[in-house]
Amino acid sequence: MTVLLCRPLCAGPASQDGTVSVLYAGSLAAVMENGIGPAFVKEKKIGYQGEAQGSLGAAQMIRGHVRNPDVFISADPIVNEKVLMGPQNGNLVKWFSTVAYSQLVSRL
């Protein structure tokens, strides 16, 4: 699992109502909606809006400006590197952090 901050959250979420938008890999839906999302709301006292998509599709939506989340959580770091990083992708992302991984995700 890799985490990308799409905008500096220290300045607050992008939405007017103070809700943090999170676009995440569909394989993480249960943990995001039943664990991390509710825990975030309880701890931070602000809103949380999650959306599950495939990692590749979500990254392509970000690159195509179809989605503009505060946070993107991908299941595959290769997607971040190939779709969101580098001059060919408008340098949308300069870095990301891998916070967990599974042997089921290929590590090239």
Side-chain angles (χ1 to χ4, degrees):
M1 171 171 53
T2 64
V3 177
L4 302 169
L5 295 179
C6 298
R7 67 175 63 42
L9 289 179
C10 57
S15 70
Q16 296 294 333
D17 67 356
T19 298
V20 172
S21 65
V22 182
L23 183 58
Y24 53 84
S27 61
L28 302 171
V31 72
M32 293 302 296
E33 295 303 318
N34 300 322
I36 294 173
F40 176 83
V41 170
K42 183 177 179 181
E43 173 69 25
K44 298 298 181 186
K45 310 287 191 260
I46 60 175
Y48 163 86
Q49 177 62 47
E51 179 182 355
Q53 295 285 338
S55 292
L56 177 58
Q60 289 171 331
M61 284 191 272
I62 292 169
R63 184 179 63 196
H65 306 286
V66 175
R67 293 288 188 280
N68 190 23
D70 295 307
V71 178
F72 172 49
I73 302 175
S74 169
D76 188 350
I78 300 299
V79 168
N80 305 337
E81 294 167 0
K82 300 280 185 191
V83 180
L84 298 173
M85 298 180 85
Q88 72 278 12
N89 297 310
N91 292 313
L92 288 170
V93 173
K94 294 195 182 345
W95 65 274
F96 62 89
S97 177
T98 301
V99 295
Y101 70 92
S102 167
Q103 291 179 336
L104 295 175
V105 176
S106 66
R107 308 286 295 168
L108 297 178

